[in-house]
Amino acid sequence: MTQQQPPLPTTDPARHDVVIVGGGAAGLSAAVTLARSLRDVLVLDAGEPRNAPAEGAHNLLGREGTPPLELLATGREEALAYGAQIRPGRASTARRTDDGFELTLADGDTVTARRLLLATGLVDELPEVSGVRELWGNHVLHCPYCHGYEVRGRRIGVLGTSPNALHQVFLLRQLSPDVTFFLHESPEPDDDGWEQLAALGITVVTGRVRELAREGDCLRAVVLEDGHAFPVDAVAVQPRFVARGDLYEQLGGTLAENPMGTHITKDVAGATDLPGVWAAGNAGDLSAMVGASAAQGVMAGAAINADLVMTDLRAAVEARRFSARP
């Protein structure tokens, strides 16, 4: 009896086992994982890494402080070395087909895949205060774990935009004795909150903030609408995080909402509510740092490969049964 042979690799250069949308830490880690399992994998990279303005990626074992663009360049080299394909470009539309997915790129080309991984990241919706966007990723930060150490012991202002601002204040107070809480748009603390702020010696400033005064690329002060200026060395803000979920919604998915923003719902291995669609990194986890995003990419890549293995196994068994019929 002839043994059933495994499926041959596709000969269609536009059709792949897996298309990964997003060339950041999550997408490239998934590409390495899949390519090491000999999968035909294509990464579509729009070239808009969220952490590009940052000087270094932190809490990343073995690569602590590596500039984000350098880290991605190394990741691309590793993925390519294992046979993954990386294509610059943006996927503008996605639809389900009889045997997978078809994506249309911004340049009009189309690619197809048996499985789809969305590693599209998120967009930081920043407060509409002059100077915030201009200094974002340098003197303006949001994550005490990603960039707090770099401003330790300095004068830190916290621009309140949500109820989460109070928690951010307490985390930053661990890093500096000089923290000022600008209420701006955040609600006033309750009695317990005021007592906690007083116990830590944190200055609270009421009134709306007009701008972050700067000289070139250097932050100088937080300026209120009444003109009163407070010298600071760094400002922390809490953006609203919005997952890049257009493709997910086009395929019939619905973005979920939490106090931080909108995201794609997924399980621990990255599987979403849509069959054949996985998510990894900030698209599905708004708080994931670089290391966590990379780990999620590995998990999703392994899960997708296992799913394809079992799909092909079922097809092989069915083909064997069919060939054995009289």
Side-chain angles (χ1 to χ4, degrees), residues 127 129 132 157-162 165 168 180-186 209 212 222 235-238:
V129 173
V132 168
V158 177
L159 181 61
T161 57
S162 74
Q168 194 177 42
T180 302
F181 182 20
F182 297 90
L183 282 178
H184 189 54
E185 296 178 346
S186 61
V209 172
L212 304 185
V222 175
V235 167
V237 301
Q238 180 63 63

Side-chain angles (χ1 to χ4, degrees), residues 78-141:
E78 292 173 354
L80 291 169
Y82 283 113
Q85 302 172 60
I86 301 176
R87 177 172 177 174
R90 183 184 305 279
S92 54
T93 65
R95 69 179 186 89
R96 190 179 293 276
T97 63
D98 291 340
D99 57 355
F101 303 92
E102 180 183 87
L103 288 83
T104 302
L105 280 60
D107 62 9
D109 284 353
T110 61
V111 296
T112 59
R114 301 171 66 191
R115 300 293 184 268
L116 180 62
L117 173 59
L118 300 176
T120 47
L122 61 78
V123 174
D124 295 290
E125 290 189 347
L126 299 174
E128 293 295 331
V129 173
S130 176
V132 168
R133 188 169 300 279
E134 292 81 355
L135 297 171
W136 176 243
N138 189 352
H139 296 281
V140 176
L141 57 106

Side-chain angles (χ1 to χ4, degrees), residues 1-320:
M1 184 177 293
T2 302
Q3 185 178 2
Q4 178 70 31
Q5 296 298 312
L8 294 174
T10 176
T11 57
D12 181 354
R15 178 170 173 77
H16 309 275
D17 286 329
V18 186
V19 166
I20 300 171
V21 186
L28 291 174
S29 294
V32 169
T33 302
L34 286 159
R36 282 176 54 84
S37 288
L38 307 184
R39 291 296 176 188
D40 182 328
V41 56
L42 171 68
V43 178
L44 298 176
D45 185 3
E48 297 175 349
R50 177 191 178 204
N51 61 357
E55 292 183 358
H58 299 289
N59 302 305
L60 193 59
L61 190 62
R63 299 303 302 273
E64 171 61 30
T66 303
L69 297 183
E70 177 183 326
L71 190 68
L72 293 181
T74 301
R76 285 191 289 270
E77 291 175 2
E78 292 173 354
L80 291 169
Y82 283 113
Q85 302 172 60
I86 301 176
R87 177 172 177 174
R90 183 184 305 279
S92 54
T93 65
R95 69 179 186 89
R96 190 179 293 276
T97 63
D98 291 340
D99 57 355
F101 303 92
E102 180 183 87
L103 288 83
T104 302
L105 280 60
D107 62 9
D109 284 353
T110 61
V111 296
T112 59
R114 301 171 66 191
R115 300 293 184 268
L116 180 62
L117 173 59
L118 300 176
T120 47
L122 61 78
V123 174
D124 295 290
E125 290 189 347
L126 299 174
E128 293 295 331
V129 173
S130 176
V132 168
R133 188 169 300 279
E134 292 81 355
L135 297 171
W136 176 243
N138 189 352
H139 296 281
V140 176
L141 57 106
H142 85 274
C143 176
Y145 300 105
C146 297
H147 306 292
Y149 182 84
E150 283 62 45
V151 296
R152 66 195 184 282
R154 307 186 73 184
R155 299 171 298 180
I156 303 173
V158 177
L159 181 61
T161 57
S162 74
N164 291 333
L166 192 61
H167 180 62
Q168 194 177 42
V169 168
F170 295 149
L171 293 178
L172 288 165
R173 179 59 180 81
Q174 167 64 21
L175 297 169
S176 174
D178 191 346
V179 176
T180 302
F181 182 20
F182 297 90
L183 282 178
H184 189 54
E185 296 178 346
S186 61
E188 285 206 18
D190 58 19
D191 290 344
D192 286 342
W194 281 115
E195 184 177 19
Q196 293 163 347
L197 289 163
L200 293 175
I202 294 169
T203 301
V204 179
V205 177
T206 59
R208 292 181 61 85
V209 172
R210 184 183 73 202
E211 65 174 325
L212 304 185
R214 60 192 192 279
E215 292 181 8
D217 294 332
C218 293
L219 172 65
R220 294 305 182 199
V222 175
V223 182
L224 302 184
E225 287 184 339
D226 63 9
H228 196 156
F230 296 82
V232 294
D233 301 304
V235 167
V237 301
Q238 180 63 63
R240 183 172 184 271
F241 303 133
V242 180
R244 292 189 175 98
D246 291 352
L247 300 179
Y248 186 70
E249 292 180 312
Q250 290 174 24
L251 292 167
T254 301
L255 297 180
E257 185 94 22
N258 68 25
M260 298 176 68
T262 62
H263 62 95
I264 298 172
T265 301
K266 65 178 183 64
D267 68 13
V268 67
T272 73
D273 295 334
L274 302 180
V277 180
W278 273 257
N282 286 140
D285 183 351
L286 300 178
S287 62
M289 291 178 268
V290 173
S293 292
Q296 290 180 19
V298 173
M299 290 289 291
I304 293 170
N305 178 63
D307 181 59
L308 288 170
V309 164
M310 297 310 296
T311 298
D312 292 341
L313 175 59
R314 288 190 293 270
V317 170
E318 183 63 27
R320 181 177 184 275

